[in-house]
Amino acid sequence: MIQRTTENDLVVQAVGLAARTRRRIESAGLQPTDFDRVAALFGVSVSRVELSEGVDGSYLRDQRRLILNTRRAGPERGNFTFCHELMHACIEDDDELLSAFADADLRSDEATMERLCNAGAAEILIPAEDVRQVGCSVAHIPELCERFSASSIAVALQMIHCAAGQSYLVIAEPRQSDAATEMFGEMSTDGERLHIAFAAESATANYRIRRGRPLQRSHGLYDALQQPGVPLKMEAEVPIGKNPWRLPCECLYFRQKVFAVFHESVRPAVSPEQMRML
């Protein structure tokens, strides 16, 4: 039986490509944040353009040009955007990864490519080796942000890629509730609720967490809001579909977001709303 390449296999290859990319940057005496010189090293150019809100950048393959939004908020976000778009160019130049991508069994080519570029950008900015030396704990997110001039989301993303075993990352932020909560079988209520702004999984994880859904007010992650900057450990429900299960969790409220990592020990019963990783 022929075993098809999975999305997780592609992530591993993309991270390897990113590690080689970073070594090439360092060998040239450059830093990943030296956008124009790094771009020239890889035969691409950089343009700074005012794009619509919510679009950080893009890659024009035919022109081999990286587009960066001048309206982006903060240098750390800009650093990640540049590395993300650079990964698009590096993947396009890597025949082996492109071939594996073409043969892989994927739900969405576009979503998978974005995941590969996110994973690669995190590796370029924050080397996995350095993260493992510090430790894959949310307690170290502030330290790594400062050390690598990286956004908190980029650091958290790299941590989940470095995590041993089956782990899940949830980044939740407080915002006003709205009628969209009814999509998840909950009645909308007034006031702020924690909503999942971003989610990711370790390479061996079996399920995916959907973005956008609100967390019930009884969820343990709300405890972090009361203690900014203090890492907490608890057992909490992994917010997957209508069939969550409780796992050991560590969380931290930092830069107006709650960062939580769940470490899987027992698999839940399969729910129709859960998305299996192939």
Side-chain angles (χ1 to χ4, degrees):
M1 180 178 178
I2 298 177
Q3 187 172 358
R4 297 289 297 275
T5 301
T6 68
E7 186 171 313
N8 283 340
D9 295 331
L10 294 175
V11 170
V12 171
Q13 291 187 53
V15 170
L17 172 60
R20 296 192 297 275
T21 298
R22 182 180 178 92
R23 288 194 294 270
R24 184 175 171 186
I25 292 170
E26 291 174 341
S27 296
L30 302 175
Q31 294 293 324
T33 53
D34 191 347
F35 297 169
D36 293 287
R37 295 175 68 189
V38 169
L41 182 65
F42 291 90
V44 295
S45 62
V46 179
S47 293
R48 295 157 177 85
V49 179
E50 185 172 310
L51 302 175
S52 59
E53 188 173 350
V55 179
D56 289 341
S58 64
Y59 174 57
L60 303 182
R61 181 177 59 184
D62 294 341
Q63 301 178 30
R64 293 190 63 80
R65 185 155 57 106
L66 314 181
I67 307 296
L68 303 180
N69 190 354
T70 57
R71 298 171 61 183
R72 66 180 182 273
E76 293 176 347
R77 185 168 173 176
N79 292 343
F80 188 83
T81 299
F82 170 76
C83 292
H84 175 100
E85 302 306 336
L86 179 63
M87 278 301 299
H88 275 289
C90 291
I91 290 173
E92 287 291 340
D93 291 342
D94 192 291
D95 292 339
E96 183 177 348
L97 182 50
L98 281 181
S99 177
F101 187 93
D103 293 338
D105 186 6
L106 306 174
R107 290 188 179 89
S108 167
D109 286 359
E110 182 178 357
T112 298
M113 182 59 72
E114 290 303 297
R115 185 184 177 198
L116 300 188
C117 291
N118 281 339
E123 176 63 29
I124 292 173
L125 279 175
I126 314 136
E129 181 179 351
D130 294 71
V131 173
R132 294 189 181 103
Q133 287 178 356
V134 172
C136 297
S137 167
V138 296
H140 299 304
I141 289 177
E143 171 190 349
L144 291 170
C145 287
E146 179 69 22
R147 179 177 172 184
F148 293 105
S149 297
S151 70
S152 52
I153 293 178
V155 169
L157 181 65
Q158 183 66 320
M159 279 189 167
I160 202 67
H161 290 152
C162 295
Q166 300 182 29
S167 301
Y168 299 87
L169 168 70
V170 169
I171 301 176
E173 56 187 13
R175 64 172 185 251
Q176 287 294 123
S177 299
D178 54 40
T181 58
E182 296 177 6
M183 294 171 55
F184 302 99
E186 302 178 23
M187 294 301 294
S188 177
T189 57
D190 293 333
E192 285 192 336
R193 298 278 297 275
L194 278 175
H195 287 69
I196 299 174
F198 194 89
E201 313 79 29
S202 63
T204 57
N206 290 292
Y207 302 92
R208 287 187 182 169
I209 297 174
R210 294 182 182 179
R211 303 183 189 185
R213 66 175 300 161
L215 298 178
Q216 295 182 353
R217 294 185 186 278
S218 59
H219 198 285
L221 295 193
Y222 282 88
D223 292 347
L225 296 177
Q226 309 306 316
Q227 303 181 64
V230 179
L232 302 179
K233 292 185 178 182
M234 63 183 73
E235 270 209 354
E237 290 187 344
V238 185
I240 293 183
K242 293 182 179 179
N243 189 30
W245 81 109
R246 297 181 69 83
L247 290 179
C249 167
E250 58 170 354
C251 61
L252 174 73
Y253 185 41
F254 177 64
R255 295 184 179 176
Q256 288 75 56
K257 294 178 177 61
V258 176
F259 296 85
V261 174
F262 299 83
H263 302 286
E264 183 175 355
S265 55
V266 180
R267 294 185 181 183
V270 176
S271 163
E273 289 202 2
Q274 293 171 348
M275 298 174 65
R276 279 302 292 266
M277 297 287 287
L278 299 177

